Amino acid sequence: MFGFRRRDDATQRSEFEALTLEHMDALYGAALRLTRSPKDAEDLVQDTYLKAFRFFESFEKGTNIKAWLFKIQTNTFINRYRRKVKEREVAETPAEDIVLDRFVSADQVRALQDPETDFFSKLLSDEVVEALDQVPVDFRMVVVLADIQGFSYKEIAEIVGCPVGTVMSRLFRGRRILQKHLYDYAIREGIISPDTTQEGEPVDLDAFRNRKKAAG
Amino acid sequence: MDCREAERFSDLSLDGETEPSEQAAFDAHVTACGRCSGRFHAQSWYQNNLRQKLQESSDRLEPPSNLKVRITAQISEERSPLPWATPALVAAGLAAVAGFTWSQAGATLDPEEPVARHTHNLPPEVRSRGDVMEVSRFLSAHLEYPVELPRFDEERSNVRLVGARLASIANRDAAYVMYDQRGARISLFAYPKPRRFAPPPGFGEREAHGRTLQVGTHRGYNVVTWLSGNTVYALVSEVDHDRLVELAASQDR
């Protein structure tokens, strides 16, 4: 009986490793962006794997294991973060309350697009990462999941544990905050000249959808 | 769709997340509006380049070489999920499975941890406004595993849900749910069943409404524990055992 149990353990473990270890690089990359610390990122990934193994029986075979692992990692990060880091208080501030100094206008984006500017060729990956790390964590989290990991809005909602509407809102704002940091960087580095053009705040998506619904 | 709405939908369109009717409205607006067309193409250029840069930076990242070794070593120290902890067996008879599990030699539930949490009497992190769903939402947002809160018959047992917080039991995050019964505090702890598990020594077994409960006392506090699926539940209070057993038995099955 005990021999059978040991063989069963080994099978379970090897199935777990075969399914999950290929996602370790992605989990580590996301963990590093969330924690902004290599040591904390390692701990987070290690915790994620341990928890995933403990709850492997609850994983529905054939479903998206990467999304399942990211959900565990995100929850682990939120719990740890919530308890240990004060910055969470800032991250939980409603998006409307975050002082953004306005988003980047379309003209400003076009200034970056100018072939003479050649902005993205001059921009190093490290500088993009530095700008991303300045985005508040709740927004950064969805940008990482969407733009680096390529998850759909629905998958992100499932991973983060919030409605799809919240994902859209956080992603929109996260991307615009990041855009603002990159634009400021381009000005600081003299890549483009300052522009004072500003545009209004974006509208609420739900308002549009409700209006269309009411109109039948 | 107006210009400001089109701006808001530009991300959804770039991400392929619009409904067909929304995409049609967006395309119609962008085709007709030169300003939005320019804005959308600039945004599209920016977003594609940014995504490429972000992915480049991610591709260059490599975890430390020993991380994989540490993870596999850690996993090898863990026991695999036990064969009897399958949904089919759980459905076949929780009480029988629980009884079998209790009898296995293994890690003993230390009542000190739940009793200590109860005596510390920390405030709830989420307060109930008469709605168990709010507390459930808080717990599911903060725990890595699903915890189903027992739904006690509040009228029959005269208990009121006060709120909940997170606690650590057996080195794992646990749900700590607080109730009030005619002015007496009752704490409920719920956490995943360890691989090997046994009830505290000296605890007696009681059957109530088809549920097998373990009943005992620790440091003067009364404790009632039971297993449901892969979750361990523990009630701790100053109220007597009979009332705790009645409460545990009053929950919906």
Side-chain angles (χ1 to χ4, degrees), chain A residues 63-195:
Chain A
T63 59
N64 188 343
I65 188 113
K66 186 181 172 188
W68 184 73
L69 290 168
F70 268 84
K71 184 176 174 62
I72 293 171
Q73 175 159 292
T74 305
N75 273 335
T76 308
F77 169 74
I78 289 169
N79 287 343
R80 182 181 283 195
Y81 190 81
R82 198 177 62 85
R83 290 176 188 180
K84 292 185 179 173
V85 186
K86 295 278 184 191
E87 190 191 335
R88 180 74 183 168
E89 290 161 23
V90 177
E92 283 181 348
T93 305
E96 291 72 20
D97 294 347
I98 292 175
V99 179
L100 281 176
D101 191 23
R102 296 284 187 167
F103 291 138
V104 177
S105 71
D107 286 341
Q108 290 167 332
V109 176
R110 277 194 287 272
L112 297 175
Q113 194 183 7
D114 187 331
E116 285 185 22
T117 303
D118 202 16
F119 175 64
F120 277 104
S121 311
K122 292 174 185 163
L123 185 68
L124 299 175
S125 296
D126 287 350
E127 290 154 353
V128 180
V129 165
E130 205 174 296
L132 177 60
D133 284 355
Q134 292 175 53
V135 176
V137 69
D138 282 352
F139 302 103
R140 188 164 78 238
M141 193 182 287
V142 291
V143 172
V144 166
L145 293 171
D147 290 336
I148 300 180
Q149 299 304 329
F151 286 114
S152 69
Y153 291 2
K154 197 178 164 193
E155 286 170 329
I156 297 171
E158 180 64 27
I159 289 168
V160 176
C162 69
V164 171
T166 306
V167 171
M168 292 194 291
S169 167
R170 287 184 188 175
L171 189 56
F172 183 88
R173 287 188 174 266
R175 282 169 171 171
R176 289 340 180 255
I177 295 168
L178 175 56
Q179 200 169 58
K180 179 84 174 77
H181 287 310
L182 289 173
Y183 180 75
D184 291 345
Y185 163 81
I187 291 175
R188 265 198 322 274
E189 295 297 311
I191 300 171
I192 55 169
S193 309
D195 181 298

Side-chain angles (χ1 to χ4, degrees), chain B residues 138-159:
Chain B
F138 168 82
L139 293 172
S140 61
H142 293 100
L143 291 171
E144 294 84 27
Y145 51 85
V147 164
E148 195 173 337
L149 287 186
R151 287 175 184 266
F152 297 125
D153 182 341
E154 296 199 4
E155 201 173 319
R156 191 174 123 201
S157 51
N158 211 2
V159 290

Side-chain angles (χ1 to χ4, degrees), chain A residues 5 8-10 12-13 16-17 21 24-25 28-29 32-33 42-43 45-47 49-51 53-57 72 75-76 78-79 82-83 104 106 109-110 112-114 119-121 123-126 128-129 132 143 146-154 161 168-172 175-176 178-179 182 199-205 207-209 211-212, chain B residues 1-2 4-15 17-19 22 25 35 37-43 45-47 49-51 53-58 60-64 66-68 70-72 74-87 100 104 125 138 140-146 166-168 171-174 192 195 230:
Chain A
R5 170 85 60 78
D8 205 46
D9 270 7
Q12 188 88 17
R13 200 173 295 121
F16 174 79
E17 290 178 2
L21 285 179
M24 193 179 72
D25 289 9
Y28 177 75
L32 196 53
R33 292 285 63 77
E42 280 182 52
D43 289 348
V45 173
Q46 205 166 337
D47 277 1
Y49 272 93
L50 188 59
K51 283 175 181 164
F53 184 66
R54 283 176 178 166
F55 297 104
F56 190 43
E57 65 208 61
I72 293 171
N75 273 335
T76 308
I78 289 169
N79 287 343
R82 198 177 62 85
R83 290 176 188 180
V104 177
V109 176
R110 277 194 287 272
L112 297 175
Q113 194 183 7
D114 187 331
F119 175 64
F120 277 104
S121 311
L123 185 68
L124 299 175
S125 296
D126 287 350
V128 180
V129 165
L132 177 60
V143 172
D147 290 336
I148 300 180
Q149 299 304 329
F151 286 114
S152 69
Y153 291 2
K154 197 178 164 193
M168 292 194 291
S169 167
R170 287 184 188 175
L171 189 56
F172 183 88
R175 282 169 171 171
R176 289 340 180 255
L178 175 56
Q179 200 169 58
L182 289 173
E199 295 190 355
E201 280 285 298
V203 295
D204 183 1
L205 271 183
F208 174 81
R209 286 179 165 167
R211 209 176 67 228
K212 297 300 276 184
Chain B
M1 190 175 280
D2 62 27
R4 292 177 67 204
E5 287 164 344
E7 183 190 1
R8 193 62 200 266
F9 271 94
S10 65
D11 278 33
L12 273 74
S13 178
L14 289 170
D15 292 336
E17 295 271 1
T18 45
E19 300 292 332
E22 292 168 351
R35 183 168 169 265
S37 174
R39 190 211 307 259
F40 177 66
H41 288 109
Q43 193 62 36
W45 165 85
Y46 165 84
Q47 188 59 34
N49 278 284
L50 177 70
R51 198 173 283 182
K53 279 280 175 192
L54 286 170
Q55 283 169 358
E56 272 171 26
S57 72
S58 177
R60 287 194 300 119
L61 275 178
E62 277 190 17
N66 62 352
L67 182 59
K68 188 174 175 180
R70 284 192 347 242
I71 286 170
T72 49
Q74 195 178 25
I75 291 168
S76 69
E77 286 171 14
E78 283 279 312
R79 295 285 306 251
S80 294
L82 295 172
W84 55 77
T86 63
F100 179 57
Q104 303 299 306
E125 290 173 290
F138 168 82
S140 61
H142 293 100
L143 291 171
E144 294 84 27
Y145 51 85
L166 300 182
S168 177
N171 292 322
R172 292 184 178 191
D173 289 337
R195 307 239 171 267
N230 284 328

Side-chain angles (χ1 to χ4, degrees), chain B residues 90 93-99 102 148-153 156 188-190 204-215 224-235 244-253:
Chain B
V90 169
L94 278 177
V97 173
W102 290 123
E148 195 173 337
L149 287 186
R151 287 175 184 266
F152 297 125
D153 182 341
R156 191 174 123 201
L188 171 79
F189 300 89
E205 195 168 286
R206 280 186 47 182
E207 289 285 331
H209 297 266
R211 192 178 289 281
T212 305
L213 307 169
Q214 308 294 325
V215 178
V224 172
T225 73
W226 68 97
L227 277 175
S228 182
N230 284 328
T231 306
V232 178
Y233 293 90
L235 281 171
L244 289 183
V245 166
E246 190 187 340
L247 180 63
S250 79
Q251 63 185 296
D252 294 343
R253 295 300 301 266

